Structure formats: structure tokens, C-alpha cells
mmCIF file of all heavy atoms in Angstrom:
data_model
loop_
_atom_site.group_PDB
_atom_site.id
_atom_site.type_symbol
_atom_site.label_atom_id
_atom_site.label_comp_id
_atom_site.label_asym_id
_atom_site.label_seq_id
_atom_site.Cartn_x
_atom_site.Cartn_y
_atom_site.Cartn_z
ATOM 1 N N VAL A 179 -15.698 -15.358 2.080
ATOM 2 C CA VAL A 179 -15.801 -16.130 0.840
ATOM 3 C C VAL A 179 -14.405 -16.548 0.404
ATOM 4 O O VAL A 179 -13.491 -15.719 0.357
ATOM 5 C CB VAL A 179 -16.465 -15.311 -0.292
ATOM 6 C CG1 VAL A 179 -16.443 -16.098 -1.598
ATOM 7 C CG2 VAL A 179 -17.890 -14.935 0.076
ATOM 8 N N ILE A 180 -14.243 -17.826 0.110
ATOM 9 C CA ILE A 180 -13.005 -18.333 -0.490
ATOM 10 C C ILE A 180 -13.396 -19.074 -1.765
ATOM 11 O O ILE A 180 -14.171 -20.034 -1.726
ATOM 12 C CB ILE A 180 -12.235 -19.264 0.465
ATOM 13 C CG1 ILE A 180 -11.771 -18.480 1.694
ATOM 14 C CG2 ILE A 180 -11.037 -19.890 -0.244
ATOM 15 C CD1 ILE A 180 -10.960 -19.308 2.675
ATOM 16 N N ASP A 181 -12.857 -18.618 -2.872
ATOM 17 C CA ASP A 181 -13.185 -19.168 -4.186
ATOM 18 C C ASP A 181 -11.908 -19.727 -4.802
ATOM 19 O O ASP A 181 -11.034 -18.969 -5.223
ATOM 20 C CB ASP A 181 -13.792 -18.078 -5.069
ATOM 21 C CG ASP A 181 -14.380 -18.624 -6.349
ATOM 22 O OD1 ASP A 181 -14.556 -19.855 -6.438
ATOM 23 O OD2 ASP A 181 -14.665 -17.828 -7.259
ATOM 24 N N ASP A 182 -11.800 -21.054 -4.825
ATOM 25 C CA ASP A 182 -10.613 -21.731 -5.357
ATOM 26 C C ASP A 182 -10.920 -22.194 -6.777
ATOM 27 O O ASP A 182 -11.686 -23.133 -7.001
ATOM 28 C CB ASP A 182 -10.262 -22.917 -4.465
ATOM 29 C CG ASP A 182 -8.993 -23.632 -4.918
ATOM 30 O OD1 ASP A 182 -8.357 -23.140 -5.874
ATOM 31 O OD2 ASP A 182 -8.642 -24.662 -4.326
ATOM 32 N N LYS A 183 -10.302 -21.532 -7.755
ATOM 33 C CA LYS A 183 -10.575 -21.838 -9.154
ATOM 34 C C LYS A 183 -10.023 -23.203 -9.556
ATOM 35 O O LYS A 183 -10.616 -23.905 -10.372
ATOM 36 C CB LYS A 183 -9.967 -20.754 -10.051
ATOM 37 C CG LYS A 183 -10.489 -19.358 -9.789
ATOM 38 C CD LYS A 183 -11.959 -19.242 -10.101
ATOM 39 C CE LYS A 183 -12.449 -17.813 -9.948
ATOM 40 N NZ LYS A 183 -13.907 -17.693 -10.227
ATOM 41 N N THR A 184 -8.877 -23.586 -8.999
ATOM 42 C CA THR A 184 -8.236 -24.830 -9.398
ATOM 43 C C THR A 184 -9.075 -26.049 -9.016
ATOM 44 O O THR A 184 -9.296 -26.946 -9.823
ATOM 45 C CB THR A 184 -6.839 -24.939 -8.778
ATOM 46 O OG1 THR A 184 -6.051 -23.820 -9.195
ATOM 47 C CG2 THR A 184 -6.147 -26.225 -9.198
ATOM 48 N N SER A 185 -9.540 -26.085 -7.764
ATOM 49 C CA SER A 185 -10.345 -27.220 -7.310
ATOM 50 C C SER A 185 -11.834 -27.001 -7.524
ATOM 51 O O SER A 185 -12.637 -27.863 -7.182
ATOM 52 C CB SER A 185 -10.084 -27.483 -5.822
ATOM 53 O OG SER A 185 -10.531 -26.383 -5.039
ATOM 54 N N GLN A 186 -12.209 -25.831 -8.064
ATOM 55 C CA GLN A 186 -13.615 -25.475 -8.306
ATOM 56 C C GLN A 186 -14.431 -25.585 -7.024
ATOM 57 O O GLN A 186 -15.559 -26.087 -7.021
ATOM 58 C CB GLN A 186 -14.209 -26.365 -9.397
ATOM 59 C CG GLN A 186 -13.565 -26.180 -10.757
ATOM 60 C CD GLN A 186 -14.197 -27.051 -11.817
ATOM 61 O OE1 GLN A 186 -14.073 -28.276 -11.775
ATOM 62 N NE2 GLN A 186 -14.895 -26.438 -12.758
ATOM 63 N N SER A 187 -13.839 -25.080 -5.926
ATOM 64 C CA SER A 187 -14.499 -25.086 -4.627
ATOM 65 C C SER A 187 -14.864 -23.664 -4.230
ATOM 66 O O SER A 187 -14.071 -22.733 -4.414
ATOM 67 C CB SER A 187 -13.594 -25.701 -3.563
ATOM 68 O OG SER A 187 -13.283 -27.037 -3.879
ATOM 69 N N HIS A 188 -16.049 -23.506 -3.663
ATOM 70 C CA HIS A 188 -16.536 -22.194 -3.242
ATOM 71 C C HIS A 188 -17.035 -22.321 -1.812
ATOM 72 O O HIS A 188 -17.964 -23.088 -1.537
ATOM 73 C CB HIS A 188 -17.657 -21.717 -4.159
ATOM 74 C CG HIS A 188 -18.148 -20.337 -3.835
ATOM 75 N ND1 HIS A 188 -17.508 -19.196 -4.279
ATOM 76 C CD2 HIS A 188 -19.216 -19.916 -3.108
ATOM 77 C CE1 HIS A 188 -18.165 -18.129 -3.839
ATOM 78 N NE2 HIS A 188 -19.197 -18.539 -3.132
ATOM 79 N N LEU A 189 -16.408 -21.582 -0.895
ATOM 80 C CA LEU A 189 -16.713 -21.672 0.528
ATOM 81 C C LEU A 189 -17.299 -20.359 1.016
ATOM 82 O O LEU A 189 -16.778 -19.283 0.698
ATOM 83 C CB LEU A 189 -15.441 -21.993 1.320
ATOM 84 C CG LEU A 189 -15.575 -22.063 2.841
ATOM 85 C CD1 LEU A 189 -16.283 -23.342 3.245
ATOM 86 C CD2 LEU A 189 -14.206 -21.989 3.514
ATOM 87 N N ARG A 190 -18.392 -20.450 1.790
ATOM 88 C CA ARG A 190 -18.999 -19.264 2.397
ATOM 89 C C ARG A 190 -19.285 -19.540 3.868
ATOM 90 O O ARG A 190 -19.813 -20.603 4.220
ATOM 91 C CB ARG A 190 -20.302 -18.877 1.688
ATOM 92 C CG ARG A 190 -20.099 -18.298 0.303
ATOM 93 C CD ARG A 190 -21.385 -17.715 -0.278
ATOM 94 N NE ARG A 190 -22.334 -18.765 -0.613
ATOM 95 C CZ ARG A 190 -23.540 -18.904 -0.085
ATOM 96 N NH1 ARG A 190 -23.943 -18.074 0.858
ATOM 97 N NH2 ARG A 190 -24.349 -19.872 -0.467
ATOM 98 N N THR A 191 -18.908 -18.578 4.720
ATOM 99 C CA THR A 191 -19.170 -18.685 6.143
ATOM 100 C C THR A 191 -19.118 -17.282 6.746
ATOM 101 O O THR A 191 -18.845 -16.306 6.048
ATOM 102 C CB THR A 191 -18.149 -19.618 6.830
ATOM 103 O OG1 THR A 191 -18.519 -19.804 8.205
ATOM 104 C CG2 THR A 191 -16.745 -19.047 6.757
ATOM 105 N N GLN A 192 -19.399 -17.192 8.054
ATOM 106 C CA GLN A 192 -19.354 -15.889 8.722
ATOM 107 C C GLN A 192 -18.100 -15.702 9.566
ATOM 108 O O GLN A 192 -17.807 -14.598 10.003
ATOM 109 C CB GLN A 192 -20.603 -15.697 9.600
ATOM 110 C CG GLN A 192 -21.877 -15.512 8.819
ATOM 111 C CD GLN A 192 -21.817 -14.295 7.902
ATOM 112 O OE1 GLN A 192 -21.414 -13.197 8.309
ATOM 113 N NE2 GLN A 192 -22.226 -14.474 6.654
ATOM 114 N N GLU A 193 -17.352 -16.775 9.773
ATOM 115 C CA GLU A 193 -16.097 -16.657 10.519
ATOM 116 C C GLU A 193 -15.191 -17.818 10.148
ATOM 117 O O GLU A 193 -15.640 -18.961 10.066
ATOM 118 C CB GLU A 193 -16.338 -16.641 12.028
ATOM 119 C CG GLU A 193 -15.060 -16.406 12.845
ATOM 120 C CD GLU A 193 -15.336 -16.264 14.328
ATOM 121 O OE1 GLU A 193 -15.612 -17.305 14.969
ATOM 122 O OE2 GLU A 193 -15.309 -15.127 14.836
ATOM 123 N N LEU A 194 -13.919 -17.502 9.930
ATOM 124 C CA LEU A 194 -12.974 -18.541 9.529
ATOM 125 C C LEU A 194 -11.593 -18.227 10.091
ATOM 126 O O LEU A 194 -11.135 -17.087 10.028
ATOM 127 C CB LEU A 194 -12.898 -18.641 8.001
ATOM 128 C CG LEU A 194 -12.020 -19.769 7.442
ATOM 129 C CD1 LEU A 194 -12.695 -21.121 7.667
ATOM 130 C CD2 LEU A 194 -11.750 -19.556 5.955
ATOM 131 N N TYR A 195 -10.939 -19.249 10.637
ATOM 132 C CA TYR A 195 -9.547 -19.155 11.062
ATOM 133 C C TYR A 195 -8.694 -19.949 10.077
ATOM 134 O O TYR A 195 -9.067 -21.036 9.646
ATOM 135 C CB TYR A 195 -9.358 -19.727 12.478
ATOM 136 C CG TYR A 195 -9.958 -18.878 13.565
ATOM 137 C CD1 TYR A 195 -11.314 -18.965 13.867
ATOM 138 C CD2 TYR A 195 -9.180 -17.986 14.297
ATOM 139 C CE1 TYR A 195 -11.875 -18.189 14.869
ATOM 140 C CE2 TYR A 195 -9.727 -17.210 15.304
ATOM 141 C CZ TYR A 195 -11.079 -17.317 15.582
ATOM 142 O OH TYR A 195 -11.635 -16.542 16.573
ATOM 143 N N TRP A 196 -7.527 -19.381 9.745
ATOM 144 C CA TRP A 196 -6.666 -20.008 8.739
ATOM 145 C C TRP A 196 -5.220 -19.858 9.192
ATOM 146 O O TRP A 196 -4.676 -18.761 9.229
ATOM 147 C CB TRP A 196 -6.894 -19.349 7.382
ATOM 148 C CG TRP A 196 -6.039 -19.847 6.262
ATOM 149 C CD1 TRP A 196 -5.167 -20.883 6.275
ATOM 150 C CD2 TRP A 196 -5.982 -19.296 4.940
ATOM 151 N NE1 TRP A 196 -4.570 -21.028 5.057
ATOM 152 C CE2 TRP A 196 -5.050 -20.071 4.210
ATOM 153 C CE3 TRP A 196 -6.627 -18.236 4.299
ATOM 154 C CZ2 TRP A 196 -4.739 -19.809 2.898
ATOM 155 C CZ3 TRP A 196 -6.322 -17.978 2.989
ATOM 156 C CH2 TRP A 196 -5.400 -18.752 2.287
ATOM 157 N N ASN A 197 -4.601 -20.975 9.555
ATOM 158 C CA ASN A 197 -3.194 -21.008 9.948
ATOM 159 C C ASN A 197 -2.370 -21.315 8.707
ATOM 160 O O ASN A 197 -2.402 -22.437 8.190
ATOM 161 C CB ASN A 197 -2.962 -22.059 11.029
ATOM 162 C CG ASN A 197 -1.556 -22.003 11.608
ATOM 163 O OD1 ASN A 197 -0.578 -21.858 10.889
ATOM 164 N ND2 ASN A 197 -1.460 -22.117 12.917
ATOM 165 N N MET A 198 -1.639 -20.338 8.202
ATOM 166 C CA MET A 198 -0.900 -20.522 6.958
ATOM 167 C C MET A 198 0.311 -21.430 7.137
ATOM 168 O O MET A 198 0.805 -22.003 6.173
ATOM 169 C CB MET A 198 -0.469 -19.161 6.395
ATOM 170 C CG MET A 198 -1.623 -18.296 5.939
ATOM 171 S SD MET A 198 -1.092 -16.831 5.032
ATOM 172 C CE MET A 198 -0.234 -15.924 6.332
ATOM 173 N N GLN A 199 0.804 -21.573 8.368
ATOM 174 C CA GLN A 199 1.967 -22.430 8.602
ATOM 175 C C GLN A 199 1.575 -23.904 8.566
ATOM 176 O O GLN A 199 2.246 -24.725 7.927
ATOM 177 C CB GLN A 199 2.623 -22.091 9.938
ATOM 178 C CG GLN A 199 3.872 -22.916 10.231
ATOM 179 C CD GLN A 199 4.555 -22.480 11.515
ATOM 180 O OE1 GLN A 199 4.132 -21.523 12.169
ATOM 181 N NE2 GLN A 199 5.609 -23.183 11.891
ATOM 182 N N THR A 200 0.483 -24.249 9.239
ATOM 183 C CA THR A 200 0.050 -25.644 9.283
ATOM 184 C C THR A 200 -0.925 -25.984 8.157
ATOM 185 O O THR A 200 -1.150 -27.166 7.875
ATOM 186 C CB THR A 200 -0.628 -25.945 10.622
ATOM 187 O OG1 THR A 200 -1.830 -25.165 10.747
ATOM 188 C CG2 THR A 200 0.307 -25.620 11.777
ATOM 189 N N GLY A 201 -1.531 -24.957 7.558
ATOM 190 C CA GLY A 201 -2.522 -25.188 6.511
ATOM 191 C C GLY A 201 -3.919 -25.424 7.026
ATOM 192 O O GLY A 201 -4.847 -25.620 6.240
ATOM 193 N N GLU A 202 -4.116 -25.406 8.360
ATOM 194 C CA GLU A 202 -5.432 -25.666 8.937
ATOM 195 C C GLU A 202 -6.398 -24.506 8.679
ATOM 196 O O GLU A 202 -6.035 -23.337 8.815
ATOM 197 C CB GLU A 202 -5.323 -25.888 10.440
ATOM 198 C CG GLU A 202 -4.767 -27.229 10.846
ATOM 199 C CD GLU A 202 -4.837 -27.412 12.350
ATOM 200 O OE1 GLU A 202 -3.940 -26.879 13.038
ATOM 201 O OE2 GLU A 202 -5.770 -28.072 12.835
ATOM 202 N N MET A 203 -7.630 -24.857 8.335
ATOM 203 C CA MET A 203 -8.727 -23.906 8.240
ATOM 204 C C MET A 203 -9.852 -24.427 9.117
ATOM 205 O O MET A 203 -10.124 -25.639 9.134
ATOM 206 C CB MET A 203 -9.203 -23.752 6.794
ATOM 207 C CG MET A 203 -8.125 -23.328 5.817
ATOM 208 S SD MET A 203 -8.718 -23.273 4.104
ATOM 209 C CE MET A 203 -9.746 -21.809 4.177
ATOM 210 N N ALA A 204 -10.532 -23.506 9.846
ATOM 211 C CA ALA A 204 -11.545 -23.973 10.791
ATOM 212 C C ALA A 204 -12.629 -22.927 10.984
ATOM 213 O O ALA A 204 -12.384 -21.728 10.931
ATOM 214 C CB ALA A 204 -10.900 -24.292 12.142
ATOM 215 N N SER A 205 -13.854 -23.442 11.209
ATOM 216 C CA SER A 205 -14.983 -22.580 11.537
ATOM 217 C C SER A 205 -15.972 -23.375 12.368
ATOM 218 O O SER A 205 -16.193 -24.566 12.107
ATOM 219 C CB SER A 205 -15.673 -22.066 10.275
ATOM 220 O OG SER A 205 -16.804 -21.273 10.605
ATOM 221 N N ASN A 206 -16.568 -22.712 13.358
ATOM 222 C CA ASN A 206 -17.596 -23.340 14.189
ATOM 223 C C ASN A 206 -18.963 -22.699 13.964
ATOM 224 O O ASN A 206 -19.846 -22.822 14.811
ATOM 225 C CB ASN A 206 -17.228 -23.250 15.676
ATOM 226 C CG ASN A 206 -16.294 -24.384 16.091
ATOM 227 O OD1 ASN A 206 -16.053 -25.320 15.337
ATOM 228 N ND2 ASN A 206 -15.763 -24.291 17.291
ATOM 229 N N VAL A 207 -19.130 -22.005 12.859
ATOM 230 C CA VAL A 207 -20.414 -21.412 12.521
ATOM 231 C C VAL A 207 -20.874 -21.979 11.177
ATOM 232 O O VAL A 207 -20.156 -22.738 10.521
ATOM 233 C CB VAL A 207 -20.335 -19.870 12.461
ATOM 234 C CG1 VAL A 207 -19.885 -19.295 13.804
ATOM 235 C CG2 VAL A 207 -19.380 -19.417 11.362
#
């Protein structure tokens, strides 16, 4: 679960990759 209060976005998934250097977030599920 990722809950971003500023953008009012709520993300739910079972697997997530997050590269903090490039900012990329990805999931194939």
C-alpha cells in the first residue's frame, strides 16, 4: 500500500519495485 496525501493517490498491489534513484515504480501484477 502506498498512500500519498499530497496527490490524494492510493495504490494497492501485491508486488512493487521502486528505484529511488530514477524514481521508477513498476508492477506486473
Side-chain angles (χ1 to χ4, degrees):
V179 175
I180 296 182
D181 190 14
D182 183 5
K183 301 296 185 181
T184 301
S185 65
Q186 296 181 292
S187 299
H188 184 82
L189 177 74
R190 289 189 290 119
T191 186
Q192 290 300 313
E193 185 175 75
L194 184 72
Y195 289 82
W196 178 6
N197 188 317
M198 293 190 294
Q199 182 176 357
T200 64
E202 285 186 279
M203 303 176 72
S205 178
N206 276 351
V207 301

